[in-house]
Amino acid sequence: MVDSAGSAFGLGLAGKQVAVLGVADETSLAWGIAEAFRQHGAVVTIGYQQRFLSRVKALLRDSPEIRGARCDVTNPAEMEAFFAAFASTRLDVLVHAIAYGPPEVFTSDPSAVSAEAFAQMLRVSAFSLGEVTRYAKPHLAEWGSVIALSYQASLRAQPFYGLMGVAKSALEGMVRYLAVELGQRRVRVNAISPGPVASLAALGIMQALLQDRSTLARQRDRVIREAYETASLRTSAAAEDLELASAIWSELQQGVATRCAIEETISKEDVAGCALFLGSDLARKITGQVVHVDCGLSSTILM
Ligand code: NAP
């Protein structure tokens, strides 16, 4: 049996050029995706910011087949240099796994967030998908694939996620508009929307909320309030915020699992599996979509 590209069914990723933006450390969804493509024989380049250079360098040392280069999506020179490296090859898959919002995005009431914080969040978390696509476009191969990372707070208000949910709504809109633009060149654009996974970004949200613990204690969402209460009881009073943030996130993941069709938590490998599919020719007629990797959370109401 053959797929629509005329090949035997299979991912067929060996030798594909893959760029993955948004690696901060080994917990990054971007790193899970980069490793998965490497394991399938793709030639992988990761993009990172200067901030966690020492952590990224350690990852690259342990995975010498993966190349790395700086790519701050607010720095045009870095984006240009990053994608110029694909001029002599081509780019088959581009993964955008980037989000940032100043702490007030998560800690303030939505009506109190400043215009500056909102603009910065949107620029990095949504607009940048269009910007990196602009730099990548001349090098994107026919039937190439662009993949972004969203979150289900794009569809329904999830208070602990603050206005970052609005950035994810904008990101999903970008996916649909870019899909039309790049469809002219037979390049597809999709998003993966995973359930909660422990990562630096996830812990960053919890640490922001811990700045004023009453913010967590009065969350309207029962799952996050209970996660905070349980984690506080289980964690020693002297624990650093990072340890408590990690414990809350872990409790949150367990609590969310109880609301899912499949009562399991999500790992970065689960997300990477979906990225492999969307990056492969098996998904060549799928574009403008948001694929939920969330054990059914977004399609289930379990009160
Ligand atoms: P992560 O490892 O912290 O990844 C976020 C990445 O964005 C970091 O590498 C961060 O770099 C990067 N970034 C921020 N500002 C940037 C800029 N100006 N230029 C370039 N990179 C920048 O966390 P993650 O959880 O894997 O997040 C990856 C994506 O998955 C994000 O879009 C996130 O919203 C999404 N997502 C995560 C979850 C989850 O539960 N973890 C669920 C659904 C969706 P620095 O750390 O150096 O700033």
Side-chain angles (χ1 to χ4, degrees):
M1 204 166 170
V2 294
D3 63 20
S4 64
S7 335
F9 274 110
L11 290 174
L13 294 169
K16 297 274 188 194
Q17 291 281 341
V18 178
V20 187
L21 304 179
V23 175
D25 73 352
E26 72 283 354
T27 66
S28 294
L29 296 183
W31 183 247
I33 293 168
E35 267 290 307
F37 275 102
R38 180 195 65 78
Q39 285 166 20
H40 283 79
V43 181
V44 180
T45 307
I46 59 166
Y48 53 84
Q49 282 204 104
Q50 180 68 15
R51 207 156 71 94
F52 291 114
L53 186 59
S54 58
R55 296 182 189 196
V56 174
K57 273 191 170 159
L59 293 176
L60 292 172
R61 207 174 36 240
D62 294 341
S63 296
E65 307 94 322
I66 297 182
R67 292 184 300 218
R70 274 164 60 168
C71 189
D72 180 332
V73 296
T74 61
N75 183 330
E78 282 191 14
M79 281 187 282
E80 182 148 24
F82 184 88
F83 288 106
F86 295 97
S88 57
T89 54
R90 64 182 188 281
L91 182 57
D92 296 292
V93 180
L94 166 61
V95 180
H96 173 287
I98 288 173
Y100 174 74
E104 68 172 280
V105 162
F106 305 101
T107 56
S108 296
D109 284 337
S111 63
V113 170
S114 70
E116 293 73 23
F118 191 74
Q120 194 182 1
M121 170 196 77
L122 275 186
R123 164 109 200 253
V124 175
S125 312
F127 176 73
S128 70
L129 178 62
E131 253 194 320
V132 296
T133 299
R134 187 190 319 149
Y135 287 98
K137 198 170 162 180
H139 314 303
L140 280 168
E142 193 178 30
W143 296 114
S145 174
V146 177
I147 303 168
L149 270 296
S150 191
Y151 182 59
Q152 62 148 347
S154 62
L155 299 172
R156 295 180 296 190
Q158 191 162 24
F160 88 87
Y161 204 61
L163 283 187
M164 184 57 84
V166 177
K168 292 303 189 190
S169 307
L171 180 76
E172 292 180 11
M174 288 293 284
V175 163
R176 289 183 282 272
Y177 279 89
L178 291 171
V180 175
E181 178 185 339
L182 296 189
Q184 304 291 311
R185 304 164 62 115
R186 293 193 172 79
V187 172
R188 40 232 156 82
V189 186
N190 294 290
I192 301 173
S193 181
V197 183
S199 68
L200 283 180
L203 295 187
I205 298 173
M206 285 306 127
Q207 283 182 290
L209 292 172
L210 279 169
Q211 295 300 309
D212 173 3
R213 298 190 177 204
S214 67
T215 319
L216 273 164
R218 62 183 157 77
Q219 286 284 321
R220 285 188 64 184
D221 188 334
R222 182 174 55 79
V223 173
I224 180 92
R225 219 174 43 239
E226 287 179 359
Y228 170 59
E229 283 160 13
T230 314
S232 301
L233 285 177
R234 289 208 182 136
T235 311
S236 83
E240 297 292 327
D241 269 3
L242 183 60
E243 190 183 334
L244 182 53
S246 175
I248 297 170
W249 194 261
S250 167
E251 291 296 332
L252 178 74
Q253 285 184 290
Q254 301 299 331
V256 166
T258 65
R259 292 180 171 187
C260 294
I262 300 172
E263 213 169 303
E264 293 279 345
T265 56
I266 308 297
S267 68
K268 68 179 191 300
E269 289 73 23
D270 296 323
V271 180
C274 185
L276 291 177
F277 167 66
L278 288 175
S280 78
D281 274 344
L282 295 178
R284 60 173 15 208
K285 301 288 171 67
I286 299 176
T287 195
Q289 302 301 313
V290 179
V291 183
H292 292 263
V293 179
D294 64 357
C295 287
L297 179 66
S298 53
S299 58
T300 312
I301 298 178
L302 288 172
M303 309 290 276

